[in-house]
Amino acid sequence: MTNLMQFIILGLGAGAAYTLLAQGVVLVYRGSGIVNFAQGAIAMAGAYVWYVTLEQGLGWSFWPAFVVGVLASVVIGVFFQQVVLRLVSKTGGSPLTKVIATLGLLIVIQSLIIQKYTDVPITAIGQYLPSNVWHSGSIVIQEDRIVLFAISVALTFVLWAVVKYTRIGLAISASAENERAVATLGWSPNFLGAVTWGVGSALAGAAGILIAPITGLNPIGFVIVVTISGLAAALVGGFRSFPLTLLGGMILGIGESLMTLYTPNLTSFTHLQVVTGAQTLVSLVVIIVVLVVRGQSLPLRSHVIERLPKLGTGKTRWPELIAGVAMALVLITILFDDVWITALSFSLMTGIILLSVVILTGFTGQLSLGQYAIGGLGALFAAQFVFHFHMPYVLAMILGVALAVPASLLFAIPALRTRGVNLAVVTLSLGYTVSQIIFNNAAITGRASDGGTKIGHVNLFGLNVDSLVYPNRWAIVCLVAFVLCALVTANLRRSASGRRLLAVRTNERAAASLGVSVFRAKIYAFGVAGAIAAVGGVLLGFRYTLVSYTGFDAFSSIYAVAYAVIGGVGYVVGAIVGSMMTAGGLGTNLFNLLHLGSWTTTFGGVLLLVLVIVQPNGAVEPISQQWDWLRRKVIHRKPLSVELPETAAERVEPGSLSVNDVTVRFGGVVAVDRASLSVEPGQIVGLIGPNGAGKTTFIDAVTGFVRPAAGKIVLKDTDITSWSAAQRSANGIRRSFQSLELFEDLTVLENLMAGTAEVGKWSWLTDLIWPRNKPLTPSAVAAVREFGLEDKLLSMPTDLSYGQRRLVAIARSVASGPSILLLDEPAAGLDENESRELARLIRRLADERGMGILLVEHDVGLVMSTCDRIVVIDFGSVIADGTPAEVREDQNVIAAYLGEQTQEEVEVSGE
């Protein structure tokens, strides 16, 4: 017990520093809606200026050096906000783009510090706080820990009070929600942004200086450990609560201290040899627990749909591919010397890992910062097969890739309940933990004394391809591997499986409403991306006779995302373009010619910051556009069109829907209160009520987007109350959304196919090798013709008028031929003629195809003229249920729904 209390006290110092760092993250997020991944790097910059430049270099005393070190951090943060983020906002950059920009800032700061101060760790940093100690029995209480704890508590209280009770604090919080509204109140969003980034960066600089004597200074380890711990503490606070962030920081600091106490026992049990890696488990556990408790399998209705990077088509242009491969072979076999061949090989190997980023971030919208860890695990598994079992190299490589896939699925588990920056935080933590606990553990890797796992000279199919002896042969192996992985990635983009990933990328709610299992899609994406990352990792590991794992660290994963964005994270070709910037690749050789080889990483970070401003879709996009223009000029082709087969509209499988006493609660608020209704085949039931009556929440409950607190939902005589949204959709319930929620990155045709393509037993594999897109189903063809979309199939939704977009949204819901169709405000935004035509279409779906339709609509005239029955809901409760004539006469409806309108007005609106 004495040791326990002692280490709890020791942990207060690190906990206080993590709290300061995390409070800066929270403040920046509250003021800008951005999670700053460069917070740890900003802290490191302030610490280096304070200690190395001023105290050690110029002999300054602590307080002047402290102030200047903090000011240095402030300058970095404000400059980044004023120059980079401000310009990104002006160009319409999404929050995801801004988060990636913070990764670029991290890369620039870290590389510049290595350039100026080297990457040699500094450990002997003297204590600057009061060093008195007190004794309570056998427990030693250090005054410096108590001071740090007191500082963190006082600062937390000040931040909480300022944000909650002052005008500028309230304006900062409001600015993140709506900058224009804040500007109308006389506040400059630019000024508020500078304040939040300045104060947040000051907290980072102070945290870096406070924690430096405890952790030492290291341009690599310091940034990762501090960043992960700070983000984990901020995550506990939901990136908004200062008191909960204080709690999170203390949990992390004390937890890591206790891990130091118990690590020797842990080491003897599992042979772990890295205390730092064991300590990172605390952050990882905290992050995962928070995500499990707070996470959701599907985002809420209020979830903001971000504008994501543009996508390529995935079409394989064989003439260009053959020409590119031939050029690469000429370079390898004739033009390049060994140095340039080695650089090309390295770019190809890293390009393969970047392809995994394209699949995850580009195609699926999952920001993962752990892809190099997956690649390293592939190399580790393959090397163990060679080292321990003397397995043939080809077989060992295949098994290494295969075993890395289950490991990558572990990274996918957090993605099932979170997304965006939260996923980035947990995958970064997972990747760092793997690198510290596994890759730095000789008991697991079986490292040789000279730093690697011995595998000897790599021999493939009887041919020695060792990269040192035969660099050209190894380059050809890498070229073949890259081309195969690129073809797999392109095939995935064009396939039915790829469309499901793109649907999840754009809008998880809409994807689930079409029967796409978001769970399976994310698992599949992580599995395929993990296999490709493992291919790159195996090649990186097997290029020498000793497999080294030092390159599979967390920073490499951060660089991978950065370089993929530079090339174009939505384009297959973007992977090879981005890989040119990797240290050791072709870009490094070009910089070496200018005697600037050590600046490659810095240039890559700066290039990323520039591109997120001027070309957020990557360098490939303008090249692709110009090339397409040139092809159209040279090769005259007829405009593309879609041939629709002559098929008659089929009646849908009949099915009834019964909703009995459904109740939905959000905390203490009852949104739907014991509501009941039924929809029969071929019947149109209207659901009306005042704004906020609970109509959309009712639809969400029926379709599985919110879980009812009570009640029963029956479809085709089957209780589906416990089914997921995707299960309900796949079994005959489809819905539209008031906000449309189209897949903006897909054509109209692909939008329709996303919800109608049948999933074959082996499609998850065949789509990677030979994707075959089946023609539209008869039901989908009928929907195209009924809604007049024949000449719009190859258009993008953004190219259509609002009325046409709404028709596409309804047609997408109808395309699969559902038994029950729920329409949420389908006439919103339409003019009178369009509304009348829509009413006729809805009536035909019920009469000619036998669909049961639940229609939620504010246009009372449309409802009265179209529906067979009408249900009126108010404050979540059903107050009327009957024919249009009966509802028109109901006094409860007149009083609750139409307020002061007279009965005559009701009759007029009904006509």
Side-chain angles (χ1 to χ4, degrees):
M1 181 59 71
T2 299
N3 285 341
L4 177 64
M5 292 302 300
Q6 184 68 71
F7 276 84
I8 288 176
I9 293 172
L10 289 173
L12 294 177
Y18 294 154
T19 297
L20 293 180
L21 189 79
Q23 301 294 25
V25 173
V26 171
L27 183 63
V28 168
Y29 184 82
R30 289 185 66 113
S32 63
I34 301 168
V35 174
N36 180 18
F37 276 83
Q39 190 80 345
I42 294 174
M44 178 180 65
Y48 266 92
V49 170
W50 156 70
Y51 184 73
V52 180
T53 299
L54 300 179
E55 282 204 1
Q56 296 295 307
L58 300 178
W60 286 24
S61 60
F62 171 75
W63 284 111
F66 176 87
V67 172
V68 174
V70 171
L71 286 176
S73 296
V74 171
V75 169
I76 294 172
V78 173
F79 178 83
F80 177 73
Q81 187 275 333
Q82 290 287 298
V83 175
V84 178
L85 294 183
R86 189 179 179 186
L87 293 176
V88 171
S89 296
K90 285 185 176 180
T91 58
S94 68
L96 177 61
T97 302
K98 295 175 182 178
V99 169
I100 291 174
T102 67
L103 295 178
L105 177 62
L106 185 157
I107 292 171
V108 170
I109 293 175
Q110 188 216 28
S111 60
L112 287 176
I113 286 178
I114 291 175
Q115 287 291 329
K116 181 172 178 58
Y117 301 108
T118 75
D119 59 355
V120 177
I122 302 172
T123 56
I125 299 178
Q127 186 57 261
Y128 47 83
L129 291 174
S131 57
N132 298 326
V133 296
W134 304 295
H135 295 273
S136 177
S138 57
I139 299 175
V140 178
I141 302 175
Q142 292 92 348
E143 185 180 0
D144 59 342
R145 263 52 173 189
I146 303 302
V147 170
L148 287 172
F149 176 72
I151 291 173
S152 64
V153 172
L155 182 65
T156 298
F157 175 78
V158 170
L159 289 171
W160 170 80
V162 168
V163 171
K164 188 174 180 65
Y165 294 111
T166 67
R167 292 183 67 247
I168 189 171
L170 295 172
I172 286 172
S173 297
S175 179
E177 301 294 332
N178 192 323
E179 289 187 353
R180 290 185 178 180
V182 172
T184 61
L185 298 175
W187 290 98
S188 166
N190 189 46
F191 168 75
L192 294 175
V195 170
T196 55
W197 275 88
V199 176
S201 299
L203 293 174
I209 295 171
L210 291 174
I211 201 174
I214 300 173
T215 63
L217 288 177
N218 181 343
I220 298 174
F222 182 92
V223 172
I224 290 296
V225 172
V226 171
T227 297
I228 292 175
S229 299
L231 291 174
L235 191 62
V236 172
F239 293 106
R240 300 196 66 85
S241 171
F242 295 111
L244 288 179
T245 300
L246 169 65
L247 175 63
M250 291 304 157
I251 290 174
L252 290 167
I254 294 172
E256 291 181 3
S257 179
L258 293 178
M259 285 297 291
T260 304
L261 172 63
Y262 294 113
T263 294
N265 295 330
L266 186 64
T267 303
S268 63
F269 179 72
T270 61
H271 306 291
L272 298 178
Q273 296 182 342
V274 185
V275 173
T276 303
Q279 290 175 326
T280 60
L281 284 174
V282 178
S283 298
L284 179 60
V285 169
V286 169
I287 291 169
I288 291 177
V289 168
V290 170
L291 294 180
V292 168
V293 172
R294 294 181 178 169
Q296 294 175 318
S297 56
L298 287 175
L300 297 174
R301 195 162 71 229
S302 59
H303 179 70
V304 177
I305 302 172
E306 299 177 356
R307 185 171 65 86
L308 297 170
K310 190 175 180 180
L311 293 169
T313 63
K315 293 180 180 178
T316 303
R317 295 174 174 173
W318 292 103
E320 288 93 329
L321 175 62
I322 293 171
V325 171
M327 182 181 299
L329 289 174
V330 170
L331 293 174
I332 292 169
T333 57
I334 300 175
L335 299 180
F336 277 177
D337 60 18
D338 289 354
V339 173
W340 281 91
I341 291 174
T342 300
L344 175 60
S345 301
F346 193 81
S347 290
L348 290 169
M349 290 183 286
T350 55
I352 294 173
I353 297 182
L354 264 59
L355 286 173
S356 73
V357 177
V358 169
I359 292 174
L360 276 181
T361 304
F363 293 174
T364 320
Q366 307 301 302
L367 181 56
S368 173
L369 298 178
Q371 290 309 102
Y372 260 84
I374 300 300
L377 289 174
L380 173 64
F381 295 143
Q384 297 308 303
F385 283 125
V386 173
F387 181 71
H388 291 290
F389 304 105
H390 307 290
M391 192 175 288
Y393 290 101
V394 173
L395 181 58
M397 289 177 167
I398 293 174
L399 290 177
V401 171
L403 289 177
V405 172
S408 70
L409 298 185
L410 294 177
F411 280 64
I413 292 175
L416 305 180
R417 292 188 61 81
T418 189
R419 50 201 55 82
V421 294
N422 288 352
L423 178 62
V425 172
V426 70
T427 52
L428 177 63
S429 181
L430 276 168
Y432 183 68
T433 302
V434 168
S435 67
Q436 293 298 305
I437 292 181
I438 296 179
F439 297 155
N440 286 341
N441 185 359
I444 295 177
T445 62
R447 280 187 173 182
S449 59
D450 42 3
T453 306
K454 291 183 178 180
I455 59 170
H457 296 284
V458 178
N459 188 294
L460 300 180
F461 305 107
L463 186 67
N464 187 347
V465 294
D466 184 276
S467 66
L468 295 178
V469 181
Y470 301 103
N472 54 342
R473 295 180 183 178
W474 183 251
I476 292 174
V477 170
C478 295
L479 176 63
V480 171
F482 178 84
V483 170
L484 292 177
C485 290
L487 288 174
V488 165
T489 306
N491 290 342
L492 178 62
R493 166 64 182 89
R494 303 194 312 274
S495 69
S497 296
R499 280 194 299 274
R500 289 192 288 273
L501 299 187
L502 296 176
V504 171
R505 168 193 194 259
T506 307
N507 191 318
E508 292 183 21
R509 285 169 53 84
S513 75
L514 298 176
V516 176
S517 172
V518 175
F519 174 92
R520 293 179 182 176
K522 289 183 177 181
I523 289 289
Y524 179 68
F526 271 88
V528 175
I532 291 178
V535 171
V538 168
L539 292 175
L540 284 169
F542 277 50
R543 58 193 163 131
Y544 302 129
T545 57
L546 295 172
V547 176
S548 173
Y549 305 98
T550 56
F552 299 109
D553 57 9
F555 265 111
S556 296
S557 294
I558 293 174
Y559 295 154
V561 172
Y563 297 144
V565 171
I566 288 174
V569 75
Y571 295 83
V572 176
V573 181
I576 192 62
V577 173
S579 69
M580 302 295 177
M581 294 307 306
T582 56
L586 290 175
T588 300
N589 272 22
L590 290 174
F591 273 78
N592 285 337
L593 292 178
L594 302 173
H595 304 288
L596 297 172
S598 61
W599 291 90
T600 306
T601 302
T602 307
F603 179 77
V606 172
L607 182 60
L608 175 61
L609 295 178
V610 172
L611 283 178
V612 296
I613 297 172
V614 301
Q615 190 59 46
N617 294 320
V620 168
E621 184 197 24
I623 299 174
S624 175
Q625 291 174 342
Q626 292 299 317
W627 186 254
D628 288 342
W629 177 83
L630 182 62
R631 282 173 59 91
R632 288 193 297 270
K633 289 293 184 181
V634 175
I635 305 174
H636 299 284
R637 292 183 177 178
K638 295 181 179 180
L640 295 176
S641 61
V642 178
E643 296 290 336
L644 295 176
E646 293 295 332
T647 58
E650 301 175 347
R651 290 189 68 84
V652 302
E653 178 186 352
S656 60
L657 172 69
S658 177
V659 183
N660 303 307
D661 296 330
V662 163
T663 298
V664 178
R665 293 188 179 92
F666 297 107
V669 177
V670 179
V672 178
D673 187 12
R674 298 178 62 83
S676 300
L677 61 75
S678 62
V679 181
E680 299 299 327
Q683 183 185 51
I684 302 178
V685 177
L687 181 63
I688 62 176
N691 286 328
K695 303 183 295 296
T696 298
T697 301
F698 182 85
I699 289 182
D700 284 346
V702 172
T703 52
F705 289 93
V706 297
R707 188 60 56 88
K712 187 177 182 180
I713 303 172
V714 178
L715 174 67
K716 302 176 185 176
D717 299 323
T718 301
D719 187 350
I720 64 170
T721 310
S722 62
W723 288 11
S724 68
Q727 285 177 302
R728 300 183 195 199
S729 176
N731 283 274
I733 293 183
R734 291 289 168 100
R735 66 168 294 179
S736 69
F737 294 88
Q738 183 177 354
S739 55
L740 302 185
E741 305 201 16
L742 295 173
F743 305 131
E744 303 291 348
D745 299 315
L746 303 181
T747 64
V748 171
L749 177 62
E750 289 175 318
N751 265 272
L752 297 176
M753 295 178 69
T756 60
E758 297 181 0
V759 181
K761 182 178 180 180
W762 295 99
S763 61
W764 62 272
L765 180 60
T766 57
D767 281 347
L768 301 176
I769 302 171
W770 192 261
R772 295 185 179 183
N773 290 314
K774 297 180 181 180
L776 288 175
T777 63
S779 179
V781 172
V784 170
R785 291 201 169 103
E786 286 169 348
F787 290 90
L789 301 174
E790 295 95 327
D791 60 341
K792 305 296 182 184
L793 291 177
L794 297 181
S795 300
M796 302 300 291
T798 51
D799 298 329
L800 305 179
S801 67
Y802 181 81
Q804 292 171 332
R805 287 165 58 83
R806 187 159 287 281
L807 292 178
V808 171
I810 301 173
R812 186 182 65 180
S813 302
V814 172
S816 65
S819 302
I820 301 294
L821 177 65
L822 289 77
L823 300 174
D824 192 359
E825 302 283 358
L830 303 183
D831 61 31
E832 185 177 351
N833 292 330
E834 291 173 329
S835 294
R836 282 201 298 265
E837 179 61 28
L838 177 62
R840 286 193 290 268
L841 288 172
I842 294 173
R843 189 70 255 179
R844 277 167 41 198
L845 291 176
D847 295 340
E848 298 178 10
R849 304 192 62 185
M851 290 184 189
I853 299 175
L854 179 64
L855 174 63
V856 173
E857 181 56 60
H858 278 294
D859 187 339
V860 179
L862 185 149
V863 173
M864 291 289 182
S865 64
T866 306
C867 296
D868 302 302
R869 268 183 40 249
I870 296 176
V871 176
V872 184
I873 190 172
D874 188 29
F875 292 106
S877 299
V878 174
I879 62 172
D881 185 347
T883 65
E886 292 170 343
V887 169
R888 188 182 295 117
E889 301 293 334
D890 194 295
Q891 295 302 314
N892 289 331
V893 175
I894 295 174
Y897 179 66
L898 298 176
E900 297 179 353
Q901 281 188 300
T902 65
Q903 185 171 345
E904 289 75 14
E905 289 174 318
V906 177
E907 292 175 352
V908 171
S909 65
E911 294 171 359

